[in-house]
Amino acid sequence: MTPSFTEMWRELAPVGRDAGTRGYRRYAWTGADADCRAWFREQALTRGLTYETDRNGNQWAWLGDPAAGDAVVTGSHLDSVPDGGAFDGPLGVISAFAALDELRASGAHPTRPLAVANFADEEGARFGLACVGSRLTAGQLTKEQAYALRDADGIILPQAMEAAGQDPGAIGPDPGRLSRIGAFVELHVEQGRALDLSGDAVGIASAIWPHGRWRFDFHGEANHAGTTRLADRRDPMIGYARTVLAARREAELAGAVATFGKVAVEPNGVNAIPSLVRGWLDSRAADQATLDAVVSAIEEAAREHARRDGVDLTVVRESFTPVVEFGHALRDELNRILGGKIPVLGTGAGHDAGILSAAVPTAMLFVRNPTGVSHSPAEFAAEDDCLAGVRALAGVLEGLACR
């Protein structure tokens, strides 16, 4: 007897959950991540699916011959941002298994292989780069670049992978695997309130906004907080603080979003003027020109503030994903399968589907989030809406793989 959606949800829910914040800390290649990966493997084997882990640490559960080609794949990820919510990622994986169960129970006979996937390190919470597993697979991240990724404790990605039992020497592009995928459909909780406002339980993605991460390093001079005159200070915190405000202003003016959500300070003492303030900017916009203009304006403001305060500034683009316009043919096919009345909406959030779209036909389903909150313990989707998402995904799998 395979576990139901509710049973799977209940079983996975405690893994990596912090008792204090009630948020999730499922970082790549840690103990919590290993527990999530063991859960995925168990779900695959319980269903008699063919289980495998690919060269980049992504997990696969196959119904049918993995080598046959033209496969229909669904799934998402199981890792989290710091103190993230329960739905971002896991909803797509649990729903994928539940949809596959529903498809098999209906007596449908797939003519194409089906698979559920769990992509490794989607959130980038530990090593600072999102979608590492899918980027490596799609050839958008080289082995050398991956080897240079380092966490806050100085542990590099290959060390972390090896400690978790994954061979880091094997990582790299996997064009053969991608060539055997005919379609990838990722279900995800909506990270906004468009469906709540429209009154729909399920939606289809149209596009993912272009987005990236930039690191701003303000280098000043450490000194005593109590004895150094204000006029004599080279305090990098001042320019950083003004840059945070500039980011908000520029994003509002352009109709974009810009967030400094992570900061590191050295020497990080209460009674010490910092020598370094390092802040990470996340910015997203509906089109490339707007994003470029916003980030350029933020950098220009940062350099002006740094000059005024006698501080040096270095800006490094750590990651970037261009706009992803999901293929209209597959998107329209999903809408047809689901009755032709499903709302189509864009999103500012990045996903593995966006990375893979350059190599395989890709689409996304969204499930209503009544609060619009995501990357937070307050993230939520009602069970009825989640089950509506499972039914929609099962219908899509049948429509694509059983024709």
Side-chain angles (χ1 to χ4, degrees):
M1 186 75 175
T2 57
S4 67
F5 175 92
T6 302
E7 290 167 335
M8 286 188 285
W9 191 267
R10 188 182 303 121
E11 184 178 350
L12 188 60
V15 178
R17 194 171 197 177
D18 183 78
T21 66
R22 306 302 292 166
Y24 288 89
R25 299 177 181 181
R26 297 166 172 164
Y27 307 147
W29 309 115
T30 63
D33 184 53
D35 289 343
C36 289
R37 295 171 65 83
W39 174 89
F40 182 96
R41 181 176 184 274
E42 181 183 352
Q43 297 306 315
L45 298 182
T46 296
R47 290 166 170 80
L49 305 176
T50 301
Y51 170 79
E52 62 175 336
T53 302
D54 69 22
R55 62 190 299 177
N56 296 308
N58 306 309
Q59 295 178 290
W60 302 79
W62 290 91
L63 176 64
D65 182 4
D70 200 29
V72 177
V73 179
T74 186
S76 190
H77 64 94
L78 294 175
D79 65 315
S80 78
V81 299
D83 288 327
F87 295 82
D88 183 354
L91 179 62
V93 177
I94 293 174
S95 296
F97 280 119
L100 198 59
D101 293 343
E102 190 166 309
L103 183 67
R104 298 170 86 179
S106 73
H109 298 287
T111 57
R112 303 166 69 179
L114 286 161
V116 177
N118 168 37
F119 288 97
D121 198 3
E122 193 272 354
E123 294 290 8
R126 183 175 181 186
F127 296 100
L129 179 65
C131 301
V132 170
S134 55
R135 285 183 192 273
L136 282 167
T137 300
Q140 296 181 25
L141 179 68
T142 67
K143 185 174 184 177
E144 293 72 25
Q145 290 170 329
Y147 270 35
L149 295 175
R150 186 181 302 270
D151 71 9
D153 296 320
I155 298 172
I156 57 176
L157 176 61
Q159 291 174 320
M161 293 181 71
E162 190 168 27
Q166 180 75 23
D167 178 14
I171 65 174
D174 202 346
R177 178 175 297 274
L178 293 178
S179 71
R180 296 192 294 273
I181 300 175
F184 175 63
V185 180
E186 181 174 3
L187 180 145
H188 205 280
V189 66
E190 188 196 356
Q191 294 167 292
R193 288 191 59 217
L195 291 175
D196 184 57
L197 294 173
S198 70
D200 296 283
V202 179
I204 297 174
S206 59
I208 297 175
W209 286 11
H211 56 279
R213 299 178 181 184
W214 290 260
R215 193 186 76 234
F216 286 63
D217 293 349
F218 294 83
H219 296 270
E221 181 179 59
N223 215 327
H224 196 294
T227 63
T228 309
R229 294 192 318 151
L230 296 180
D232 294 336
R233 299 184 181 204
R234 294 179 56 230
D235 185 350
M237 186 64 78
I238 306 303
Y240 170 72
R242 289 178 175 141
T243 301
V244 172
L245 297 176
R248 176 59 179 261
R249 181 182 65 249
E250 297 299 335
E252 284 182 334
L253 290 172
V257 291
T259 308
F260 277 97
K262 179 180 177 180
V263 61
V265 181
E266 296 179 10
N268 205 28
V270 174
N271 59 350
I273 299 166
S275 60
L276 170 67
V277 176
R278 173 171 287 152
W280 282 264
L281 170 71
D282 178 300
S283 190
R284 308 166 191 236
D287 59 80
Q288 187 65 55
T290 301
L291 179 62
D292 290 343
V294 169
V295 175
S296 294
I298 295 170
E299 181 174 346
E300 182 179 347
R303 295 197 181 282
E304 174 59 31
H305 296 316
R307 283 193 296 269
R308 186 184 308 168
D309 298 328
V311 168
D312 296 324
L313 172 65
T314 302
V315 179
V316 178
R317 189 179 80 177
E318 291 193 336
S319 68
F320 177 73
T321 302
V323 63
V324 174
E325 181 77 26
F326 289 113
H328 290 200
L330 182 57
R331 187 181 76 190
D332 292 346
E333 178 68 1
L334 262 63
N335 214 328
R336 184 196 65 76
I337 291 170
L338 297 176
K341 297 180 180 180
I342 304 297
V344 179
L345 55 144
T347 177
H351 302 280
D352 291 307
I355 300 298
L356 298 177
S357 67
V360 300
T362 306
M364 290 192 71
L365 293 174
F366 290 129
V367 171
R368 176 166 48 193
N369 176 347
T371 67
V373 174
S374 187
H375 285 188
S376 159
E379 183 178 82
F380 180 71
E383 184 173 356
D384 285 349
D385 287 345
C386 292
L387 295 178
V390 170
R391 291 192 295 272
L393 182 59
V396 166
L397 296 182
E398 181 175 11
L400 293 178
C402 301
R403 56 192 181 188

